[in-house]
Amino acid sequence: MSTADISKLDTKVASAVNGFAQEQRDGAMTPAETRLSRPLGATDVPHKKVEKICCIGAGYVGGPTCAVIAAKNPHIQVTIVDLNADRIAAWNSDKLPIYEPGLDEVVRSCRGRNLFFSTDVDKAIIEADLIFVSVNTPTKTKGQGAGYAADLGYVESATRHIAKVAQGDKIVVEKSTVPCRTAQSMRFILEANARPGIHFDILSNPEFLAEGTAIADLTNPDRVLIGSLNTPAGRSAAASLADVYAGWVDRQQIITMNLWSSELSKLAANALLAQRISSINALSAICEATGADVDEVSYACGLDQRIGKRFLKASVGFGGSCFQKDILNLVYLSESLHLPEVAAYWRQVVEMNEYQKKRFLNRIISCLFNTLTGKKIAILGFAFKKDTGDTRESAAITLCKYLRQERANVSIYDPEVEERQIWMDLAEPGVQDERKELEKQFTIAPSALEACKGADAVVVCTEWDEFRNSKLDYKKVYAEMNKPAFIFDGRLILDQKELEEIGFHVEMIGRPRSNFQTPKDWE
């Protein structure tokens, strides 16, 4: 490929993703003189130039991350592999297996040129200079640490396969979210099973993507962390990976550090973000009881530069694949290190999140005259947040299971979550086939209007823009609902006054009940 061709390609890719990056994020620049990690020049060491990359795992992290790497480095061949043939077929089709704004454009710009999706894991490993391990690390459901510890079975399996197949030296990169010191276990497995004369270097390169803004996060990151051993070989491997990211990320934002610090930083970042959400949700309960408005409280607090405004939006609760899992992992780590007070502190963040969901349900029950039996509840939004089809740890799932216990009839609508995924999420784990039983209480609607037809209450669980007053015809919704018509806004996206003028009884997280009475002598 000529220099002119590469230049044209870079322009094309930039135009495809730049809008998302500029709209959603501002990259943080860390002045070199304030860095607490290794100095900027730590990667100025002899190192191998990466020509071929293999990513094991074609999920929410591996797919977008390596697609952007390929788009920004047209001279590097990137192959994403997975044993799931259906998933790989979807990556090679016009309908990608995950929904993420901007992802389609990035994939189309380089798929078949230097970005490939394949089930031939062995071939990709053999050819690669650098291998990302980006497999699932779910919370254990059985055995020691069940409910808290990360299940590293997929990581170990991938590591053993690399050792078995590799025919030359490799740089192996932890991309999955893992407990601190997992790299040590991976290195032990690789060295114990490698062919004679083959050397492996282990790096930690945690992802900091937010679903819904993943392309923006990747194209304009706050930072890129690379953890390695502080040895000549470790620093050399880190320099090789740093070169890959330097294809579009400023060198000052590529931070190299201790392996264990890098691993722990991912868990710590998610725990701190989740802590902020649980903190504002705890305050939302006080707001409802006192007549305060949680949006006003969070706005006032966010103006303090020491606090900032990010992640201070009250809601029915946080979800996603990382927050709860990573906090529970931190709890387990703390207990393993005999730090019970630290474990209890972080456990409370998760407990507050579950309390918020239960509290929201209790408010629905109370408003609907203390019974939901036989009443139709419309659930708007099933994904854990807008701009993604991911339902993992979604507040809507928990709420629907509570509603099932209350014998309500539930109609669900989400613009991106597939119907089969909703049925899977509603089913109880371990039950062979609950579909017929579930269909007695649940329906999946083709539109928000259809979901709300004949409903006693509408519950907003995901902050999709199409549920806002300016997008959805709430006069029509009201006309076709049972009266009194209730709306419960679990995401604070609706105009309460406008809805009340239509005739709705509106209940919002972090705001007092519609019948809240201010003492007369306070007016």
Side-chain angles (χ1 to χ4, degrees):
M1 181 178 289
S2 68
T3 302
D5 288 337
I6 292 175
S7 178
K8 289 179 182 177
L9 178 64
D10 284 343
T11 301
K12 178 181 177 183
V13 172
S15 64
V17 300
N18 206 35
F20 295 97
Q22 292 302 319
E23 178 184 347
Q24 310 258 9
R25 299 188 60 78
D26 292 316
M29 186 66 75
T30 305
E33 64 272 13
T34 66
R35 292 163 67 100
L36 298 178
S37 57
R38 293 175 190 164
L40 189 60
T43 54
D44 294 334
V45 296
H47 59 275
K48 182 178 182 179
K49 296 295 182 182
V50 175
E51 296 179 356
K52 292 186 178 182
I53 289 175
C54 164
C55 176
I56 301 176
Y60 276 90
V61 174
T65 299
C66 286
V68 171
I69 286 175
K72 295 294 188 178
N73 292 279
H75 58 286
I76 298 178
Q77 178 180 306
V78 179
T79 304
I80 301 173
V81 295
D82 200 294
L83 295 177
N84 187 325
D86 290 339
R87 179 180 294 172
I88 291 298
W91 279 109
N92 283 316
S93 72
D94 291 332
K95 183 173 175 53
L96 302 185
I98 63 175
Y99 173 74
E100 189 68 41
L103 179 60
D104 280 8
E105 292 89 339
V106 175
V107 170
R108 288 196 199 102
S109 72
C110 52
R111 187 174 60 193
R113 176 184 56 79
N114 72 319
L115 175 64
F116 303 93
F117 298 91
S118 173
T119 55
D120 194 342
V121 179
D122 291 7
K123 181 175 183 291
I125 290 174
I126 290 170
E127 293 182 350
D129 307 307
L130 182 147
I131 302 169
F132 284 111
V133 176
S134 186
V135 296
N136 194 17
T137 54
T139 302
K140 291 181 69 174
T141 58
K142 296 180 180 179
Q144 185 175 348
Y148 291 90
D151 185 344
L152 299 179
Y154 295 113
V155 173
E156 180 175 340
S157 178
T159 305
R160 289 183 180 279
H161 199 74
I162 291 169
K164 176 184 175 182
V165 172
Q167 298 176 3
D169 295 351
K170 308 289 179 186
I171 299 173
V172 179
V173 184
E174 286 178 335
K175 198 65 182 171
S176 304
T177 301
V178 294
C180 193
R181 299 195 80 88
T182 298
Q184 185 174 12
S185 301
M186 292 176 68
R187 185 181 182 191
F188 187 58
I189 291 170
L190 288 168
E191 291 179 349
N193 293 277
R195 301 182 186 189
I198 293 180
H199 175 75
F200 294 99
D201 287 297
I202 304 291
L203 300 178
S204 167
N205 177 218
E207 53 85 14
F208 295 98
L209 308 182
E211 289 182 45
T213 60
I215 299 303
D217 296 338
L218 286 163
T219 55
N220 196 14
D222 291 327
R223 76 289 201 200
V224 172
L225 297 190
I226 301 174
S228 73
L229 293 176
N230 195 21
T231 62
R235 291 192 298 272
S236 177
S240 295
L241 181 55
D243 277 356
V244 173
Y245 284 108
W248 76 98
V249 180
D250 189 287
R251 285 280 183 178
Q252 290 199 41
Q253 290 171 266
I254 302 172
I255 313 299
T256 56
M257 58 175 56
N258 174 309
L259 256 176
W260 328 125
S261 297
S262 177
E263 289 179 330
L264 187 57
S265 292
K266 167 63 177 178
L267 298 181
N270 278 345
L272 290 168
L273 293 174
Q275 177 198 54
R276 286 172 67 89
I277 297 173
S278 281
S279 294
I280 199 65
N281 281 343
L283 290 168
S284 75
I286 299 176
C287 289
E288 291 170 24
T290 60
D293 185 324
V294 73
D295 271 348
E296 293 180 343
V297 172
S298 63
Y299 174 72
C301 293
L303 292 175
D304 189 323
Q305 293 183 8
R306 297 168 300 174
I307 299 172
K309 63 181 181 180
R310 301 289 297 276
F311 282 79
L312 287 181
K313 185 71 172 178
S315 71
V316 68
F318 61 73
S321 62
C322 289
F323 279 2
Q324 179 163 310
K325 181 185 74 171
D326 290 356
I327 296 170
L328 293 175
N329 198 326
L330 202 56
V331 170
Y332 183 70
L333 176 64
S334 301
E335 290 178 340
S336 300
L337 296 172
H338 307 293
L339 301 170
E341 293 83 3
V342 176
Y345 176 83
W346 289 114
R347 187 184 289 109
Q348 185 60 34
V349 174
V350 175
E351 290 176 355
M352 179 55 63
N353 193 49
E354 294 307 306
Y355 165 73
Q356 185 78 341
K357 299 173 192 176
K358 187 66 174 179
R359 197 173 65 81
F360 190 55
L361 172 78
N362 290 340
R363 190 168 179 180
I364 295 172
I365 296 172
S366 175
C367 287
L368 268 65
F369 317 110
N370 294 312
T371 180
L372 300 181
T373 302
K375 293 178 180 176
K376 181 178 177 181
I377 310 296
I379 298 293
L380 298 187
F382 203 76
F384 83 91
K385 63 182 288 190
K386 74 172 186 175
D387 291 334
T388 179
D390 194 354
T391 62
R392 286 175 288 182
E393 303 297 339
S394 169
I397 297 174
T398 304
L399 198 60
C400 283
K401 291 183 177 180
Y402 284 147
L403 292 172
R404 184 183 183 187
Q405 294 170 5
E406 296 294 330
R407 299 168 64 191
N409 296 321
V410 183
S411 184
I412 301 167
Y413 168 71
D414 189 284
E416 287 298 332
V417 180
E418 294 183 0
E419 184 172 333
R420 63 179 182 83
Q421 183 64 52
I422 295 176
W423 290 120
M424 285 175 56
D425 289 331
L426 292 175
E428 293 294 333
V431 176
Q432 191 169 12
D433 187 3
E434 264 200 310
R435 179 69 175 265
K436 289 184 179 179
E437 195 64 29
L438 287 168
E439 286 177 349
K440 294 178 182 178
Q441 286 182 257
F442 293 89
T443 58
I444 313 300
S447 68
L449 283 173
E450 191 64 31
C452 298
K453 191 177 293 184
D456 295 274
V458 173
V459 181
V460 178
C461 289
T462 310
E463 68 278 21
W464 288 104
D465 290 339
E466 68 176 84
F467 301 150
R468 294 181 182 275
N469 296 62
S470 58
K471 300 289 185 180
L472 185 58
D473 187 348
Y474 279 100
K475 289 183 179 179
K476 190 171 183 179
V477 170
Y478 179 78
E480 297 187 358
M481 285 180 64
N482 292 331
K483 309 298 186 296
F486 289 88
I487 286 187
F488 298 87
D489 184 359
R491 295 293 175 179
L492 294 178
I493 64 170
L494 300 180
D495 185 325
Q496 182 175 2
K497 184 178 180 181
E498 182 180 298
L499 293 174
E500 288 175 340
E501 289 174 353
I502 292 172
F504 285 104
H505 293 267
V506 184
E507 302 288 330
M508 308 189 77
I509 283 280
R511 293 182 188 170
R513 297 279 294 270
S514 56
N515 61 354
F516 182 87
Q517 297 293 319
T518 301
K520 289 186 180 295
D521 58 339
W522 289 10
E523 292 179 348

